[in-house]
Amino acid sequence: PKTASPTFGIEHFAGQVMYTVDRFLEKNRDTLADSVRDLIKASKISLVKDIFPEYKVAEEGGAKKLTVGAHFKAQLTALMTALAACSPHYVRCIKPNFNKAPMTFDEELVRAQLKYAGMLETIRIRRLGYPQRNILLDFHSRYKCLLEGKLRTDKDIKRDINNLFQHVLKSEPNSWQIGITKVFMKDHHKGDLEQLRNKRLARSCLVIQKTWRMYSVKLRYLKMRKVALGLQTAIRMQTQKARYLKKKRSTIMIQSVWKMYKERSYYKKLKYAIATVQDIVRGWTAQKKFKALQQNSIVLQTAIRGVSQRLRHQRR
């Protein structure tokens, strides 16, 4: 890039790197390491001693000054310790243009950055080999859900993985390999496996949802059925009780009327029989009295007639 200050470039393994001349020494001034300092002190070349005159006399009693390299090493060690305690994900940033303008994409600049960063070579090498490398146990644990029936044994992990590639993915034999501890495969297999796994998990989730909804609805139905049966039982009990009481009252009424009719008929029959007996008894009594009166009357008439006949006879 064009700058106001003079620059110079150094060709590194990744490409040319430009440096600014202004304040170059101030920016890159550093205390040499002890090993370099000792090497300069032991040098027998006069030119080296002339270039570094300040290291001719050993510094004693002073505090040890930390070099830029040592400081960078300490920072790098702390960074690696922090990264080891986490699960980092690296993102490589690509500058789209030098003007920092939005919606502007410089193909040559981006291609150069990818080339100098080694991304193109890395992609080429990974495409030639097996970019995806997974541990056998982790791979089997993640994708064994794709195996069904006799294809899944859960005892022979390599056999299950072999069945997965041959029968599920139906991939070519040279696109994957099974090692002692890892599984090696092409990039597209990873995407296919993830897609199949997501579909299987989605179907499993639907099955679990349907089962849970069925179970919850069944529980709700059983509770509603229990409540409905309780209500039906109570309503039927009240209805039957009211019907029973009504029938009971009707039955009692019918029984009362029937008993009244029966007793009345019996009473009438008894009254008739008593009246008949009374008539018979009264007739017999009256007849007996009549006969007695008749007899007495006959006796009286006989006596009177006898007296009248005697008196008549005497008059003659």
Side-chain angles (χ1 to χ4, degrees):
K2 296 181 179 180
T3 57
S5 60
T7 59
F8 66 95
I10 298 178
E11 189 74 24
H12 292 275
F13 70 94
Q16 187 178 17
V17 179
M18 303 302 296
Y19 294 93
T20 305
V21 176
D22 294 342
R23 302 181 60 188
F24 181 80
L25 295 178
E26 288 78 1
K27 293 179 181 179
N28 296 276
R29 181 169 301 188
D30 185 19
T31 303
L32 296 178
D34 294 338
S35 58
V36 178
R37 186 185 305 177
D38 295 337
L39 181 62
I40 293 174
K41 291 178 182 179
S43 178
K44 298 179 180 180
I45 302 174
S46 59
L47 179 61
V48 175
K49 294 181 180 181
D50 293 337
I51 295 175
F52 301 97
E54 62 272 22
Y55 296 116
K56 291 182 179 179
V57 181
E59 298 177 356
E60 297 180 358
K64 186 177 181 181
K65 188 176 181 180
L66 187 63
T67 63
V68 175
H71 183 65
F72 176 75
K73 184 178 180 181
Q75 289 182 340
L76 184 60
T77 303
L79 177 62
M80 294 303 297
T81 303
L83 291 177
C86 306
S87 299
H89 296 276
Y90 299 97
V91 178
R92 187 180 296 275
C93 298
I94 302 297
K95 184 184 293 185
N97 57 79
F98 285 117
N99 299 324
K100 298 181 180 179
M103 306 301 294
T104 303
F105 188 80
D106 190 346
E107 295 184 4
E108 295 297 331
L109 175 62
V110 173
R111 187 181 296 108
Q113 293 179 73
L114 292 175
K115 179 181 178 181
Y116 295 153
M119 292 297 296
L120 298 179
E121 188 68 17
T122 302
I123 294 172
R124 187 185 67 82
I125 294 174
R126 289 179 65 87
R127 290 182 64 182
L128 292 176
Y130 299 103
Q132 296 296 331
R133 303 171 184 180
N134 301 91
I135 300 176
L136 284 175
L137 294 176
D138 297 339
F139 186 85
H140 182 265
S141 176
R142 184 172 180 82
Y143 300 110
K144 65 181 179 181
C145 60
L146 301 177
L147 296 172
E148 296 179 351
K150 297 181 180 180
L151 297 178
R152 178 175 172 180
T153 61
D154 288 333
K155 294 181 180 180
D156 191 350
I157 297 177
K158 293 186 178 181
R159 181 181 177 184
D160 289 346
I161 297 174
N162 189 21
N163 292 333
L164 179 64
F165 281 104
Q166 289 184 354
H167 300 285
V168 178
L169 293 179
K170 297 180 180 179
S171 59
E172 298 178 358
N174 59 353
S175 63
W176 56 274
Q177 292 293 331
I178 300 177
I180 298 177
T181 59
K182 289 186 177 182
V183 180
F184 304 90
M185 59 183 175
K186 299 291 185 179
D187 279 328
H188 63 276
H189 289 327
K190 185 71 173 180
D192 295 340
L193 288 173
E194 287 296 327
Q195 186 176 5
L196 293 175
R197 182 175 179 271
N198 292 334
K199 290 182 179 179
R200 176 58 59 85
L201 292 179
R203 289 197 300 268
S204 301
C205 290
L206 290 177
V207 173
I208 293 173
Q209 287 177 350
K210 291 191 293 185
T211 305
W212 170 248
R213 288 173 182 172
M214 180 192 70
Y215 176 73
S216 60
V217 171
K218 187 177 180 180
L219 286 181
R220 189 184 306 171
Y221 164 74
L222 291 177
K223 290 181 181 178
M224 294 176 64
R225 184 173 181 269
K226 185 177 180 181
V227 174
L229 288 176
L231 291 175
Q232 288 178 352
T233 303
I235 293 173
R236 289 174 181 173
M237 181 186 69
Q238 293 296 330
T239 305
Q240 294 298 327
K241 186 177 180 181
R243 188 179 300 175
Y244 166 75
L245 293 176
K246 185 177 181 180
K247 288 183 177 180
K248 183 179 180 181
R249 287 194 297 268
S250 301
T251 304
I252 292 174
M253 182 64 67
I254 293 172
Q255 287 178 349
S256 301
V257 173
W258 170 250
K259 288 179 181 179
M260 179 187 70
Y261 172 76
K262 186 177 180 182
E263 292 297 329
R264 187 176 180 180
S265 299
Y266 177 75
Y267 168 74
K268 286 182 177 181
K269 291 180 181 180
L270 184 63
K271 183 180 179 181
Y272 178 76
I274 292 173
T276 303
V277 173
Q278 285 179 350
D279 291 341
I280 294 173
V281 172
R282 286 174 182 173
W284 180 78
T285 304
Q287 188 177 7
K288 187 176 180 181
K289 287 181 179 181
F290 174 75
K291 287 182 178 181
L293 289 175
Q294 187 180 15
Q295 186 69 27
N296 291 333
S297 298
I298 293 173
V299 172
L300 182 60
Q301 289 177 357
T302 302
I304 292 172
R305 289 175 181 172
V307 172
S308 64
Q309 289 296 331
R310 278 196 300 272
L311 288 176
R312 186 182 298 172
H313 180 72
Q314 287 174 2
R315 287 174 182 175
R316 291 177 178 177

